[in-house]
Amino acid sequence: MNRCMMKVYIETYGCALNVHDTVVMESYIDLNGHTLVSNIEDADAIIVNTCAVRLDTERRMEKRLRELFNKYPDKKLVVAGCLAKARPYLVHKVAPNASMLSPQSIHKISMVLESPRKIILLDGSKERGSLPAITNSKTIATIAVSEGCLSNCSFCITKIARRKVSSYPVSIVVETIKKLVEKGVKEIRLTAQDMGVYGYDIIGKKMLPELINSIIKRVEGEYYLRIGMMSPQHLSEMLDDIIPLYKDQHLFKFFHIPVQSGSDKVLRLMNREYSIDEYVSLVKEIRRKLPESYIATDIIVGHPGEGSEDFLQTIELVKLLEFDKVHIARYTYRPRTLAGKLTQVPEAEKKRRSSILASIVENIGLKKNSEFLGKTIEAIILDEGFKRQSLIARASNYRPVVISKEYNRLLGKRAPILITDYTFFDLRGVPIDDTC
Ligand code: SF4
């Protein structure tokens, strides 16, 4: 039977996992003889790989799907990703003819494209036979080593979209990194919904230490691993195994450990599986054993049940631990979640609290970064900065150092950089030896 070859346009939203899923779909589309096009007008089919993480994101997705559905009634529309899995009725309401694919069914994309009918595939399990490595630039690559988590946080809709832990085997990750390093990639970002549970689906045990160990033993050359977000309870369990590995020169001393709130009461409402005391001990232990560590965290402001006293406890925690980076998110209502059923904090109060917290975080950042002024630090120059007007280098703990674009010839190289200025967010400097 003759298959209909299609020209396919893809739009992607959301996190590195979703970007990774798009690369997987592209490889299947290509393998099956369809053509990817960059201009939507040329396409026979449009795939929207969606995100559902926040209410504002969902509204943006809804608007875009409605727009595409109305503007291109003759093109096939496929809604893939988290919104399709978590909010299929919403997708159906705004784009009734659209086919839907869960993140777990993306390997069936060609079958969906080739079918003359609307297809809905919202279950399935992820294929883990080969691993596409996304090169963000000449020097940086992202590898989504697993998806899914073992927790059930009250606020998270991703739990519905990417339920089970599903990981690529260690050997596949190692081989992929070898190829990337051979191509000249210097920074490898290992990412997952929760790096702390990598491998749990493979042998019923958290395998992150084993993964890191295999990479540093088996991949030679100059490269740096940045390990993505790890939930505190999993990192605590593995800390004795992880710390010696982090001492290896191939690891950025970077930890992304979301705390979410400084109040034990709110952590319980959130269904987080640790207490503030446990979290504080974890961070202190990391800093004791690896003093140069960079600690990034996430905080949700205005989760249902967060009173003024709870918010003050979050402020106290931030002041106590002086995080190197804090991502502040105002809680947004998500349907089908535990927090969605609770009484909501008024929007104006959430805004007020998040701006108070943001200014505290800025002051801490300014204080910490001011300590580098006049010092020289060793960093690797990895990427172009904002609007390509500068270059971003990374210290051994991933602290960003912005340098002038005129040092383009140093991309991918290490250099000592004299720190001449700073913001709350990054350091600014000048390479002092451009013979490197
Ligand atoms: S919902 Fe979460 S996992 Fe899904 S694309 Fe958005 S950020 Fe990524």
Side-chain angles (χ1 to χ4, degrees):
M1 191 177 80
N2 273 343
R3 286 188 303 133
C4 166
M5 292 301 120
M6 320 237 346
K7 290 189 197 138
V8 185
Y9 172 85
I10 311 188
E11 258 178 40
T12 307
Y13 298 88
C15 62
L17 285 181
N18 230 33
V19 175
H20 180 266
D21 284 353
T22 290
V23 178
V24 173
M25 282 193 281
E26 284 173 350
S27 63
Y28 282 107
I29 288 166
D30 190 48
L31 202 70
N32 284 287
H34 305 291
T35 311
L36 291 158
V37 293
S38 54
N39 185 346
I40 196 165
E41 304 297 335
D42 299 336
D44 308 307
I46 301 167
I47 301 171
V48 187
N49 196 9
T50 55
C51 171
V53 70
R54 293 175 55 81
L55 184 60
D56 43 344
T57 324
E58 180 178 299
R59 292 206 170 126
R60 196 153 58 98
M61 300 284 88
E62 201 180 327
K63 183 166 171 259
R64 183 62 178 150
L65 292 178
R66 189 171 284 118
E67 221 167 66
L68 291 171
F69 181 72
N70 291 331
K71 190 165 175 195
Y72 302 106
D74 300 330
K75 297 184 196 286
K76 184 170 190 104
L77 181 59
V78 182
V79 181
C82 295
L83 192 72
K85 173 80 182 181
R87 306 276 283 134
Y89 298 107
L90 175 77
V91 173
H92 176 75
K93 198 174 85 189
V94 292
N97 291 346
S99 291
M100 285 185 239
L101 263 188
S102 68
Q104 296 71 32
S105 311
I106 49 169
H107 53 284
K108 302 209 170 129
I109 183 62
S110 296
M111 186 264 274
V112 174
L113 289 172
E114 288 159 22
S115 169
R117 289 175 294 113
K118 164 179 170 170
I119 304 257
I120 310 278
L121 294 171
L122 296 180
D123 290 315
S125 53
K126 215 130 187 177
E127 294 245 309
R128 291 301 193 195
S130 66
L131 171 57
I134 303 164
T135 358
N136 312 43
S137 67
K138 262 198 199 153
T139 51
I140 302 175
T142 302
I143 304 182
V145 294
S146 78
E147 72 168 34
C149 73
L150 294 178
S151 306
N152 194 20
C153 298
S154 61
F155 49 81
C156 182
I157 200 166
T158 307
K159 180 71 189 167
I160 299 166
R162 298 174 190 263
R163 208 178 288 267
K164 289 192 217 142
V165 179
S166 164
S167 316
Y168 283 100
V170 170
S171 57
I172 290 189
V173 179
V174 169
E175 287 314 309
T176 307
I177 295 179
K178 269 188 192 165
K179 284 183 203 142
L180 289 166
V181 174
E182 274 161 22
K183 276 197 217 162
V185 167
K186 300 289 183 204
E187 178 187 344
I188 316 275
R189 297 176 180 169
L190 296 187
T191 183
Q193 232 162 292
D194 184 349
M195 285 298 301
V197 299
Y198 166 78
Y200 196 80
D201 54 309
I202 301 175
I203 53 167
K205 161 180 169 280
K206 297 157 195 169
M207 289 173 69
L208 182 60
E210 194 173 329
L211 176 68
I212 299 174
N213 192 38
S214 298
I215 297 169
I216 58 186
K217 289 257 153 57
R218 288 163 53 193
V219 184
E220 291 176 352
E222 192 195 5
Y223 64 91
Y224 304 89
L225 295 176
R226 190 197 70 170
I227 309 297
M229 188 274 271
M230 294 175 265
S231 287
Q233 69 275 24
H234 304 308
L235 178 57
S236 295
E237 249 180 61
M238 295 183 289
L239 197 64
D240 289 346
D241 296 327
I242 290 274
I243 292 287
L245 297 168
Y246 260 70
K247 291 187 175 163
D248 188 275
Q249 50 164 356
H250 289 109
L251 270 95
F252 281 121
K253 312 322 175 212
F254 168 88
F255 292 86
H256 178 187
I257 323 166
V259 65
Q260 306 299 12
S261 169
S263 151
D264 278 323
K265 184 193 100 191
V266 176
L267 289 182
R268 277 193 298 277
L269 285 169
M270 288 176 163
N271 246 348
R272 303 287 289 176
E273 295 156 33
Y274 51 88
S275 67
I276 291 303
D277 280 352
E278 285 164 347
Y279 186 91
V280 170
S281 309
L282 171 67
V283 170
K284 286 189 172 168
E285 186 66 359
I286 293 171
R287 285 185 170 152
R288 194 175 68 77
K289 291 186 167 155
L290 281 174
E292 75 274 36
S293 300
Y294 184 97
I295 312 276
T297 197
D298 302 335
I299 292 179
I300 295 175
V301 173
H303 183 277
E306 183 194 78
S308 315
E309 186 52 39
D310 302 302
F311 177 61
L312 287 178
Q313 287 174 16
T314 298
I315 290 178
E316 273 168 33
L317 181 78
V318 167
K319 287 183 175 167
L320 174 75
L321 292 181
E322 297 197 324
F323 295 103
D324 297 283
K325 186 175 176 191
V326 183
H327 175 246
I328 302 168
R330 283 203 301 271
Y331 169 83
T332 63
Y333 165 81
R334 305 306 295 119
R336 302 176 69 192
T337 60
L338 294 168
K341 299 187 180 92
L342 304 174
T343 308
Q344 306 291 302
V345 174
E347 207 51 45
E349 182 57 16
K350 286 193 260 178
K351 275 191 190 153
R352 192 187 72 83
R353 289 181 195 172
S354 75
S355 70
I356 292 172
L357 191 57
S359 82
I360 291 166
V361 166
E362 279 193 29
N363 285 336
I364 292 170
L366 284 171
K367 185 185 125 202
K368 292 192 90 160
N369 285 343
S370 71
E371 288 161 15
F372 292 90
L373 197 61
K375 292 189 178 154
T376 299
I377 61 173
E378 183 84 10
I380 172 147
I381 295 105
L382 282 165
D383 206 2
E384 289 181 316
F386 185 60
K387 291 190 179 164
R388 301 187 163 178
Q389 294 307 303
S390 57
L391 297 172
I392 307 287
R394 297 282 176 178
S396 61
N397 64 3
Y398 209 66
R399 189 177 295 282
V401 187
V402 179
I403 63 171
S404 159
K405 210 181 161 196
E406 71 188 72
Y407 295 99
N408 222 359
R409 65 187 178 283
L410 296 180
L411 252 186
K413 296 189 175 148
R414 296 186 69 85
I417 298 176
L418 174 67
I419 303 305
T420 53
D421 200 0
Y422 60 90
T423 68
F424 80 95
F425 186 74
D426 53 29
L427 303 175
R428 309 282 160 111
V430 185
I432 53 173
D433 178 6
D434 53 21
T435 57
C436 339

